[in-house]
Amino acid sequence: MTIRETLEEREYVYLSPFASHSRETLGRDHEEEPCNMRTDYQRDRDRILHCKTFRRLKHKTQVFLAPEGDHYRTRLTHTLEVAQIARSISKALGLNEDLTEAIALGHDLGHTPFGHAGERALNEVCSFGFRHYEQSVRVVEILENKGRGLNLTKEVRNGIYNHRTSGSPSTLEGKVVRFSDKIAYINHDIDDAIRARIMSESDIPKEYSDILGSSTKVRLDTLIKDIVINSMDKPDIIMSDEVQKAMGSLREFMFERVYRNPIAKGEEIKADSMLKYLFDYYMKHMDKLPDEYIYLLNEQNEQAEKVICDYISGMSDQYSVAKFEEIFVPGFWKQ
């Protein structure tokens, strides 16, 4: 018996009957020889962790554009916090931590530079629209590995696609990530907003803090425990009505106080215009795209708008600024 087979057998002994078992995966689009050491979900996690798109998340905006400080969250640190929260919940519920982690690490791979501002910009200029959760799946199915994708299991791709608020994941592990994403960003965005001095802990309405707690640590503890207690030995991932309503209301408060705050979001107009200029430029100069994207156009017959969105959405904040300057800002003559 291989190490992988031993691990698969352990899942049947130790995991909840509602967990996703590696041996019962719906599989990959392209069949592969099983690994002797790792389960399929462990392989998916490793492929995501080692891909180039994952590494670029460290230079992509979470909420604050180009903040002057080392401790503000980026898209990468957000992803790691989601993975930690999701694993804690999955472990307590006896779910498959490897599947949970793979979904969590991959859920934002398709995010644009400059966060949701970039997503809105591409959605406005592309006739197909642009949604980061769809792009995240496109990254792992097509864009990574020189157009071959990562060939992930269907369960991981389903969880990535359905992590959005209106999503409906097919596994409990996917549902855990869907909740964990919101728990993570609400709380770390509060922390970052306090660090940026655009709000204080005391600004949070007492009707929410009385239920959830008056610090990031206490809120995380409350939210995670509430999910575990209410989901234990059940075929679903749920929260109590009181806590879920308070979390939803706190999220709305954050939209009003932070996500639409002119101080926090003041530079977004520039980012929006810059990405639209880049999109328009590459629509007129497709020969200027890197070879891997020209390959998608010429060999895979992909739509031009979609491929240009692939390129721009994959840029880091800094790289998109550098490309804009290279194309549109005149350089000084040097002899």
Side-chain angles (χ1 to χ4, degrees), residues 221-271:
D221 188 65
T222 298
L223 291 163
I224 291 169
K225 285 182 177 176
D226 187 78
I227 290 177
V228 171
I229 291 168
N230 287 280
S231 305
M232 187 68 72
D233 299 322
K234 294 177 182 176
D236 201 3
I237 304 300
I238 55 177
M239 301 179 79
S240 66
D241 290 341
E242 180 185 46
V243 170
Q244 184 160 10
K245 184 178 180 181
M247 184 177 78
S249 297
L250 180 57
R251 181 172 177 266
E252 288 301 313
F253 168 80
M254 288 297 290
F255 268 96
E256 292 301 321
R257 192 61 183 263
V258 178
Y259 303 142
R260 302 189 186 108
N261 185 288
I263 298 174
K265 315 306 279 183
E267 297 296 299
E268 284 190 355
I269 295 174
K270 298 176 186 177

Side-chain angles (χ1 to χ4, degrees), residues 132-331:
H132 81 272
Y133 55 88
E134 292 177 350
Q135 189 68 16
S136 294
V137 175
R138 184 168 166 82
V139 166
V140 300
E141 288 186 341
I142 298 172
L143 300 181
E144 269 293 335
N145 201 20
K146 298 181 179 179
R148 295 189 297 272
L150 301 179
N151 197 30
L152 305 182
T153 58
K154 290 181 171 64
E155 291 82 3
V156 172
R157 286 179 285 155
N158 175 272
I160 290 172
Y161 181 82
N162 285 288
H163 80 271
R164 66 196 188 280
T165 300
S166 60
S168 181
S170 63
T171 65
L172 295 193
E173 291 82 0
K175 292 181 179 182
V176 166
V177 173
R178 179 174 168 273
F179 269 113
S180 299
D181 183 34
K182 292 162 188 60
I183 292 172
Y185 75 65
I186 289 171
N187 284 285
H188 65 49
D189 291 350
I190 290 174
D191 189 45
D192 281 353
I194 292 172
R195 180 172 290 105
R197 299 180 182 178
I198 62 174
M199 64 172 283
S200 64
E201 186 69 51
S202 61
D203 292 329
I204 297 174
K206 195 169 183 297
E207 59 191 292
Y208 312 147
S209 58
D210 282 349
I211 296 171
L212 301 176
S214 55
S215 72
T216 297
K217 179 180 177 180
V218 175
R219 278 190 296 272
L220 287 172
D221 188 65
T222 298
L223 291 163
I224 291 169
K225 285 182 177 176
D226 187 78
I227 290 177
V228 171
I229 291 168
N230 287 280
S231 305
M232 187 68 72
D233 299 322
K234 294 177 182 176
D236 201 3
I237 304 300
I238 55 177
M239 301 179 79
S240 66
D241 290 341
E242 180 185 46
V243 170
Q244 184 160 10
K245 184 178 180 181
M247 184 177 78
S249 297
L250 180 57
R251 181 172 177 266
E252 288 301 313
F253 168 80
M254 288 297 290
F255 268 96
E256 292 301 321
R257 192 61 183 263
V258 178
Y259 303 142
R260 302 189 186 108
N261 185 288
I263 298 174
K265 315 306 279 183
E267 297 296 299
E268 284 190 355
I269 295 174
K270 298 176 186 177
D272 177 279
S273 298
M274 186 184 72
L275 295 186
K276 288 176 178 177
Y277 273 120
L278 287 173
F279 181 89
D280 184 62
Y281 173 82
Y282 285 113
M283 282 295 293
K284 296 173 181 175
H285 303 88
M286 284 181 276
D287 60 307
K288 300 296 185 182
L289 289 167
D291 290 343
E292 60 197 278
Y293 297 98
I294 292 177
Y295 171 82
L296 290 173
L297 287 170
N298 297 338
E299 302 299 325
Q300 300 297 318
N301 296 316
E302 293 273 2
Q303 300 269 4
E305 288 181 75
K306 195 170 283 292
V307 172
I308 292 167
C309 281
D310 290 337
Y311 181 41
I312 295 175
S313 66
M315 294 178 177
S316 65
D317 294 5
Q318 293 94 324
Y319 184 78
S320 64
V321 172
K323 291 306 294 184
F324 180 85
E325 290 179 343
E326 176 188 313
I327 295 167
F328 294 106
V329 178

Side-chain angles (χ1 to χ4, degrees), residues 103-122:
I103 295 169
L105 292 177
H107 82 282
D108 269 355
L109 288 176
H111 240 302
T112 57
F114 305 108
H116 289 285
E119 182 174 18
R120 288 191 297 270
L122 292 185

